[in-house]
Amino acid sequence: LADSLHKKKHTRPTFTGHQIFALEKTFEQTKYLAGPERARLAYSLGMTESQVKVWFQNRRTKWRKKSALEPSSSSSSSSSQRAGGSGGERAASETEDDEYNKPLDPDSDDEKIRLLLRKHR
């Protein structure tokens, strides 16, 4: 009982916008990271491998839950309808969204990541 009173409470890490953005972009490309990929990503983002591992585990759980809630794709339900916009609205924003669909390298795309984050705060 006395030991439990003296233990420091575990604090949750806070990730920067840059880190989250790079993690999300990587998650879009692959849902699972092998050891070397995880080590490289962790190093480039200034995180521990454990943090990256747990972030991916949590993100996969969130992704699975979201996938389970979404109705299966049918011909009457297009992605633009599920996104909540009409075809015209979607087409207008598609060119802007192209920036998000391009793979980002956390080592060489720092400026691009900063611009995208600043644009969407």
Side-chain angles (χ1 to χ4, degrees), residues 23-31 56 100-102:
L23 288 163
E24 288 287 353
K25 292 303 287 182
T26 306
F27 185 79
E28 284 177 15
Q29 316 261 309
T30 180
K31 307 299 183 226
F56 265 79
Y100 290 102
N101 296 328
K102 293 178 186 170

Side-chain angles (χ1 to χ4, degrees), residues 3 14-15 18 31 35 55 67 70 77 90 92 95 102 117:
D3 285 342
T14 10
F15 302 125
H18 165 81
K31 307 299 183 226
W55 187 92
S67 297
E70 286 182 357
S77 176
R90 182 75 185 125
T95 52
K102 293 178 186 170
L117 286 171

Side-chain angles (χ1 to χ4, degrees), residues 36-77:
E37 295 168 321
R38 183 172 57 235
R40 263 194 299 278
L41 184 61
Y43 178 77
S44 70
L45 295 176
M47 298 167 65
T48 65
E49 287 186 54
S50 294
Q51 287 175 320
V52 173
K53 178 183 173 185
V54 170
W55 187 92
F56 265 79
Q57 287 172 340
N58 291 338
R59 187 62 181 83
R60 281 192 300 270
T61 301
K62 180 180 176 182
W63 171 66
R64 283 189 203 104
K65 282 182 184 176
K66 186 180 177 201
S67 297
L69 291 174
E70 286 182 357
S72 60
S73 296
S74 66
S75 58
S76 65
S77 176

Side-chain angles (χ1 to χ4, degrees), residues 11-24:
T11 57
R12 187 176 180 166
T14 10
F15 302 125
T16 65
H18 165 81
Q19 289 170 324
I20 293 170
F21 189 80
L23 288 163
E24 288 287 353

